[in-house]
Amino acid sequence: MSDKNKYNKTGRTARNDDRKGGFKPKDSRGRPPKPRDSKPADSFSPMDEDSDYIIGRNPVTEALKAGKSLNCIYVNSAAGGSIAVILKLAAEKGVLIKKTDDKKLTAMSGGASHQGVIAVGACAEYSTIEDILASAKEKGRPPFIIICDEIEDPHNLGAIIRTAETAGADGIIIPKRRSAALGHTVFKTSAGAASYLPVARVANLAAAIDELKENGVWIYGTDGSGTDYADCDLTGPCALVVGSEGFGMGRLIKEKCDFLLSIPMFGKITSLNASVAAGIFMYEAVRQRRIKKIM
């Protein structure tokens, strides 16, 4: 690691063995020019169009009781009756709830009787951060994790998962809100990699980063203002944060990074597609780890 990257912003020496291991189970964005919360909570995004729908009160209730993996539940809370039971079950299971109206639900269901509620099922079960850390421990090597900060395009998320799996990453972490989920497009774009690479879906990405730090993982954000990625030591326990397509990393997530890394640009275009940039960073980590025979 070069001298200019020897210390992180808190002044601590950037040694990979400074943080202790062990696996402990445990928005403000303010980002101009377009605030993150400008998107209505009940909006229907194309990222949901290729997912499996569970339509109607009884089917959704049973899916929740059975513990089926759900991306979110669209609900007209004004419908009343057993909707309150569904909302209570969803809250207990930690399933994301998106409030909408009957017009949007009817469009989603293709005119079928939805009774005020539609659940969007995931194509696969999500993992946990503990699972990802345990997987790295079983392999006997430092954790290598990819964090996607609001990657909303399912094609980009699928491409990142595909590259991460081929690069030998231990897992992917995505937020529940404002992120593509494990739908059919993600699976297709990942060329099947989503079936093998653990994906953890968390309610609070900042808290997830704190959990990784408590388990000895250093956080490397990808940002144009950062240090040249080739000058950073990525051979220890590390998590690479890939920012969203339009905004990059959120302010809070950026502040939580131990280091910021950048890719040198020599042309007139000063940015890369999120999945392309992620691949470059990932394979720099692979290159360094192969030299040290970690992978």
Side-chain angles (χ1 to χ4, degrees):
M1 185 181 295
S2 68
D3 290 341
K4 65 181 176 181
N5 193 44
K6 187 177 181 181
Y7 296 93
N8 63 20
K9 61 188 175 187
T10 62
R12 294 178 299 180
T13 304
R15 291 172 54 201
N16 290 319
D17 58 353
D18 281 346
R19 289 201 181 117
K20 295 183 180 180
F23 304 103
K24 303 175 183 178
K26 299 243 168 216
D27 247 71
S28 59
R29 286 285 177 178
R31 185 183 304 169
K34 180 181 177 182
R36 285 300 186 126
D37 58 1
S38 63
K39 184 177 179 181
D42 65 350
S43 61
F44 174 48
S45 163
M47 74 179 71
D48 300 315
E49 291 176 355
D50 61 343
S51 300
D52 295 325
Y53 289 157
I54 301 172
I55 301 172
R57 299 188 184 191
N58 284 338
V60 171
T61 300
E62 293 306 316
L64 285 166
K65 289 180 178 179
K68 179 176 173 59
S69 182
L70 300 175
N71 287 332
C72 66
I73 294 177
Y74 288 90
V75 62
N76 180 358
S77 56
S82 58
I83 290 293
V85 176
I86 291 173
L87 293 174
K88 183 174 183 295
L89 280 172
E92 291 173 354
K93 301 287 186 179
V95 177
L96 179 65
I97 298 169
K98 295 186 178 182
K99 294 183 179 180
T100 186
D101 54 32
D102 274 350
K103 181 179 179 181
K104 200 167 293 291
L105 289 171
T106 299
M108 292 172 64
S109 66
S113 177
H114 52 73
Q115 301 174 306
V117 61
I118 296 176
V120 182
C123 288
E125 297 291 327
Y126 289 101
S127 298
T128 65
I129 293 175
E130 291 83 0
D131 292 336
I132 293 173
L133 291 171
S135 174
K137 188 175 182 180
E138 288 174 5
K139 296 171 186 173
R141 67 188 189 196
F144 178 26
I145 300 166
I146 312 303
I147 300 173
C148 294
D149 183 17
E150 300 185 5
I151 299 294
E152 298 192 70
D153 185 340
H155 296 90
N156 272 339
L157 180 59
I160 290 171
I161 291 174
R162 180 176 184 174
T163 303
E165 200 282 329
T166 61
D170 297 300
I172 300 271
I173 298 175
I174 63 174
K176 283 187 176 181
R177 293 184 179 274
R178 301 186 180 95
S179 173
L182 292 182
H184 296 299
T185 298
V186 169
F187 261 71
K188 183 177 180 180
T189 310
S190 77
S195 298
Y196 302 102
L197 187 69
V199 177
R201 195 174 186 224
V202 298
N204 189 316
L205 204 57
I209 287 175
D210 288 338
E211 182 176 347
L212 290 176
K213 288 183 175 183
E214 290 170 4
N215 284 281
V217 179
W218 292 88
I219 311 300
Y220 295 81
T222 58
D223 187 84
S225 65
T227 301
D228 190 316
Y229 72 113
D231 293 333
C232 293
D233 183 357
L234 300 173
T235 60
C238 75
L240 295 172
V241 185
V242 181
S244 69
E245 297 90 344
F247 296 94
M249 290 184 295
R251 177 187 56 80
L252 178 59
I253 301 304
K254 185 175 180 179
E255 290 175 354
K256 284 189 170 290
C257 293
D258 295 306
F259 305 101
L260 296 179
L261 311 182
S262 66
I263 299 171
M265 299 285 177
F266 302 104
K268 295 182 180 179
I269 303 300
T270 58
S271 64
L272 292 171
N273 171 274
S275 62
V276 172
I280 293 172
F281 286 113
M282 280 187 256
Y283 267 90
E284 173 60 21
V286 170
R287 183 189 70 81
Q288 293 184 18
R289 287 169 173 237
R290 289 190 68 192
I291 290 173
K292 290 194 175 183
K293 302 187 184 303
I294 294 174
M295 299 186 77

